[in-house]
Amino acid sequence: MVGPVDGKFCFKKRTDGSVDKSTVVCKLCKKEFAYHRSTSSLKYHLNAKHVAASVDVSPTPSTRNHTLTQPTLNQMTGFRARISKSTSEKITNSLAHWIALDCRPLRVVEDKGLQKVLQIISSDATYELPCRKTVTKRIQQLYDNEKEDKENLLEKAECVALTGDHWTSVSNSNYLGVTAHFIDIKWRLHSFALTIQKTTTRHFAENVAEDFESVAEAWEVTLKVTTIGTDCARTMIAAMRLLTFQHMPCVAHVLQRTITVCLADSGFTGTLARCRKIEGHFKHSPSNTEELHKEQTELEQDKEPLIQDVSTRWNSTLFMISRLLKNQEAVKATLAKQKHKLTMLTTAEWDRLQRLETLLKPCRYVTELLGGETYVSCSVVLPALRHLTRTMEVSDDDPAYVVRFKAAFKKDLSQRQDALNHG
């Protein structure tokens, strides 16, 4: 009987002469291994311990006094010999680039599963992942190299525009992000982050202004900065007045403020409140969600959850409405079979949601247009705002609450535009 791994192992014999098929013995070193039909550990042992082995392990009378060359390691185990140092370095650099690019945690280099994958890919069963310290050094090297490239680009730029924002993370830490934008001599647009740094001072105007100045000085672009774009928060506006750079308020943020104000003071408030309760009914109950998925399947729709909006993001309200309208029949059918205390949406309210979706879709389109990163968006500001003004023209078919929303929208946006022009 030929043993596992092409006869490189044999089954252990018991004292009574019978064969123990749950244990195998390496013919090279007589080490015993538990055997459960898998040969992975046996191949690993051969590759790690007997790379240099070169004698025939089962000589025949005709070859007893001759030294034979053992089959290649690849033939014997399915693995090659150790990978070269240069290949190992490439893998380490690639790991560092992946971790930095996709924001993976450093502890990923301690994953046994990842190590196994790389052992299979490299055909080297002895390959070991680099430690955290090594990967951290490589990421720093990547950053230093990238920073040097960006410094060279900025050095050649004649004018640079900055955009920035302060925000507070979910862990209540303050951060500042600053991005540089410029066009090179070949008319190619460049946009890249200069910093995303943790700040320890309060977001007072003086501190914010100082933060922007320090970033510009660190990258040696102070004399090249033409404008700084920020949102329209009072602190930001006050900070920009302390600087010598021209301030460019974010038009997308202006639009968001207009929509938020109009939604809060319109005829949609009650309907939206009921939508949120319906969404919460499913979100907080896995069983309710499962019943909704069953109804979606019966209606040949995609199984997807409802969406809850966020008060500070009007587009999330649009997503909530669109998802609810798409699954209107499934939601109705599910709730009809359940006991609940929800106030169901009336036919008039479903129609109201449909009209609100129609009102908000152009706003979403304009917001995405203004947020483009591969083109200069300044030139599309006036046409985009003009487009919104035209979509908000009152028609004869508009009910009173839509007329009120459109009038409030045009008035608020016009006032904010005037403030931008005279700011």
Side-chain angles (χ1 to χ4, degrees):
M1 178 184 297
V2 178
V5 194
D6 298 327
K8 302 302 181 292
F9 291 81
C10 61
F11 292 106
K12 182 180 179 180
K13 287 188 177 181
R14 299 190 180 94
T15 54
D16 60 0
S18 60
V19 176
D20 180 4
K21 292 188 177 182
S22 64
T23 305
V24 295
V25 180
C26 175
K27 291 183 178 182
L28 293 172
C29 65
K30 306 305 179 184
K31 185 174 181 179
E32 296 183 1
F33 297 87
Y35 181 66
H36 304 287
R37 295 183 179 275
S38 174
T39 60
S40 298
S41 61
L42 306 185
K43 291 179 179 179
Y44 182 91
H45 170 74
L46 288 173
N47 184 59
K49 301 297 183 181
H50 304 299
V51 172
S54 60
V55 296
D56 185 9
V57 297
S58 55
T60 63
S62 61
T63 62
R64 188 181 305 277
N65 297 321
H66 298 277
T67 300
L68 299 180
T69 301
Q70 188 178 359
T72 63
L73 191 61
N74 191 36
Q75 294 172 334
M76 185 174 71
T77 67
F79 289 105
R80 294 198 302 266
R82 283 178 176 272
I83 59 175
S84 65
K85 185 176 181 180
S86 61
T87 301
S88 180
E89 288 292 302
K90 289 180 180 179
I91 293 176
T92 299
N93 290 336
S94 296
L95 283 171
H97 185 266
W98 166 55
I99 291 172
L101 182 65
D102 293 337
C103 297
R104 306 301 301 167
L106 283 172
R107 65 174 180 274
V108 74
V109 296
E110 298 171 354
D111 288 357
K112 298 299 182 184
L114 177 60
Q115 179 165 293
K116 187 65 177 177
V117 168
L118 291 176
Q119 286 175 347
I120 294 173
I121 293 174
S122 64
S123 296
D124 180 1
T126 65
Y127 174 80
E128 293 184 359
L129 287 166
C131 65
R132 288 193 188 194
K133 186 176 181 180
T134 298
V135 173
T136 300
K137 288 182 178 179
R138 298 301 171 85
I139 292 176
Q140 184 62 48
Q141 291 173 3
L142 287 172
Y143 170 78
D144 293 339
N145 294 337
E146 189 69 19
K147 183 179 180 182
E148 184 177 355
D149 292 341
K150 300 309 184 209
E151 287 175 334
N152 292 334
L153 288 172
L154 288 171
E155 185 179 0
K156 298 175 183 177
E158 293 185 8
C159 300
V160 178
L162 300 181
T163 55
D165 190 22
H166 267 285
W167 75 89
T168 302
S169 69
V170 292
S171 59
N172 209 31
S173 296
N174 296 327
Y175 290 89
L176 168 68
V178 180
T179 303
H181 315 266
F182 61 92
I183 298 174
D184 63 20
I185 58 175
K186 294 184 178 180
W187 290 95
R188 293 175 299 191
L189 175 64
H190 296 268
S191 295
F192 49 81
L194 299 183
T195 186
I196 299 178
Q197 63 188 38
K198 189 173 183 179
T199 59
T200 56
T201 57
R202 291 184 178 273
H203 291 177
F204 295 140
E206 295 80 4
N207 296 334
V208 173
E210 185 178 337
D211 288 338
F212 276 100
E213 282 184 330
S214 63
V215 173
E217 291 173 0
W219 287 84
E220 300 181 354
V221 294
T222 303
L223 299 179
K224 297 183 177 183
V225 174
T226 55
T227 61
I228 296 184
T230 72
D231 60 25
C232 297
R234 291 181 180 180
T235 301
M236 279 296 186
I237 294 176
M240 294 304 107
R241 289 172 180 163
L242 300 176
L243 299 174
T244 58
F245 314 122
Q246 182 179 352
H247 182 218
M248 293 286 290
C250 175
V251 180
H253 185 259
V254 170
L255 179 58
Q256 176 173 314
R257 295 288 291 272
T258 293
I259 298 171
T260 302
V261 168
C262 293
L263 283 176
D265 187 25
S266 67
F268 299 100
T269 307
T271 302
L272 291 176
R274 278 185 278 280
C275 289
R276 296 183 184 105
K277 288 184 178 181
I278 292 173
E279 194 281 335
H281 173 78
F282 291 99
K283 179 179 180 180
H284 301 299
S285 173
S287 59
N288 289 343
T289 300
E290 184 60 31
E291 290 178 16
L292 174 63
H293 289 337
K294 290 180 180 178
E295 293 295 338
Q296 289 170 333
T297 301
E298 290 184 7
L299 293 169
E300 297 183 349
Q301 295 178 341
D302 295 332
K303 292 199 297 184
E304 54 188 4
L306 301 182
I307 298 174
Q308 188 171 45
D309 66 344
V310 180
S311 59
T312 56
R313 294 288 182 268
W314 69 266
N315 53 346
S316 67
T317 301
L318 174 59
F319 298 149
M320 177 183 72
I321 294 170
S322 298
R323 182 65 59 86
L324 193 59
L325 287 170
K326 179 181 176 182
N327 291 278
Q328 178 178 349
E329 297 304 321
V331 169
K332 286 181 178 179
T334 304
L335 293 178
K337 299 177 183 178
Q338 296 178 340
K339 292 183 179 180
H340 56 80
K341 297 181 180 180
L342 295 172
T343 301
M344 291 296 297
L345 295 173
T346 63
T347 301
E349 287 178 318
W350 284 109
D351 178 68
R352 186 167 293 198
L353 289 179
Q354 189 70 62
R355 291 179 182 273
L356 181 57
E357 181 186 40
T358 302
L359 289 171
L360 294 182
K361 276 186 174 181
C363 298
R364 178 190 174 189
Y365 165 73
V366 169
T367 300
E368 292 176 349
L369 183 66
L370 294 173
E373 296 182 353
T374 59
Y375 53 87
V376 179
S377 57
C378 185
S379 58
V380 302
V381 170
L382 292 179
L385 295 181
R386 178 57 184 162
H387 170 70
L388 280 183
T389 302
R390 294 186 63 181
T391 60
M392 293 297 169
E393 294 291 345
V394 176
S395 68
D396 295 336
D397 298 331
D398 290 337
Y401 60 88
V402 171
V403 172
R404 188 163 65 251
F405 181 92
K406 287 183 174 181
F409 183 94
K410 291 172 65 177
K411 180 181 179 180
D412 189 88
L413 184 60
S414 177
Q415 291 174 345
R416 296 182 188 276
Q417 280 186 259
D418 290 340
L420 290 179
N421 294 333
H422 296 90

